Amino acid sequence: MSVVKINVLTVPAEQRETLEKRFASRAHAVENSDGFEWFELLRPVEGTDNYLVYTRWRDEESFQAWMEGPMKSAHQGGGSEGGDRPRPAASGSTLWSFDVVQQAGPKGE
């Protein structure tokens, strides 16, 4: 079964719009990656500053290939001195990893 990666981003209220715009501008950056299955950006509703970036992959190798290729390139942007690169919208990040052991979807008609 698939693997799920959830990146927990701590985003101060004043940076929420910036974060969402950045994800929207790269909306299709992951979709053509081998082994990619699903993406969701989850905005907190109450009680937390943590956004969840949910991705599902065919296997760990597919995720690692994306991390070392397209994701790394997308996050390097700007000059190596950091002059042209915008400041991160998140003040912290933690990656959670899960194996999918059960799943269900809507029952077909």
Side-chain angles (χ1 to χ4, degrees), residues 3-50:
V3 296
V4 169
K5 302 295 182 173
I6 300 174
N7 194 2
V8 183
L9 302 175
T10 303
V11 183
E14 66 274 7
Q15 290 294 320
R16 286 182 171 197
E17 185 177 345
T18 299
L19 179 88
E20 291 178 22
K21 283 182 180 178
R22 287 180 186 168
F23 269 92
S25 72
R26 295 189 302 230
H28 305 291
V30 70
E31 293 173 6
N32 293 322
S33 297
D34 185 48
F36 169 77
E37 296 179 352
W38 198 259
F39 161 85
E40 290 178 323
L41 176 62
L42 306 175
R43 178 191 306 134
V45 176
E46 56 189 28
T48 184
D49 288 335
N50 292 330

Side-chain angles (χ1 to χ4, degrees), residues 60-97:
E60 182 67 25
E61 293 75 20
S62 298
F63 172 73
Q64 291 300 327
W66 175 75
M67 285 285 290
E68 291 302 315
M71 193 284 299
K72 194 173 191 177
S73 296
H75 285 84
Q76 285 179 338
S80 60
E81 302 300 316
D84 297 328
R85 189 172 182 205
R87 292 188 61 219
S91 62
S93 174
T94 302
L95 182 65
W96 295 342
S97 299

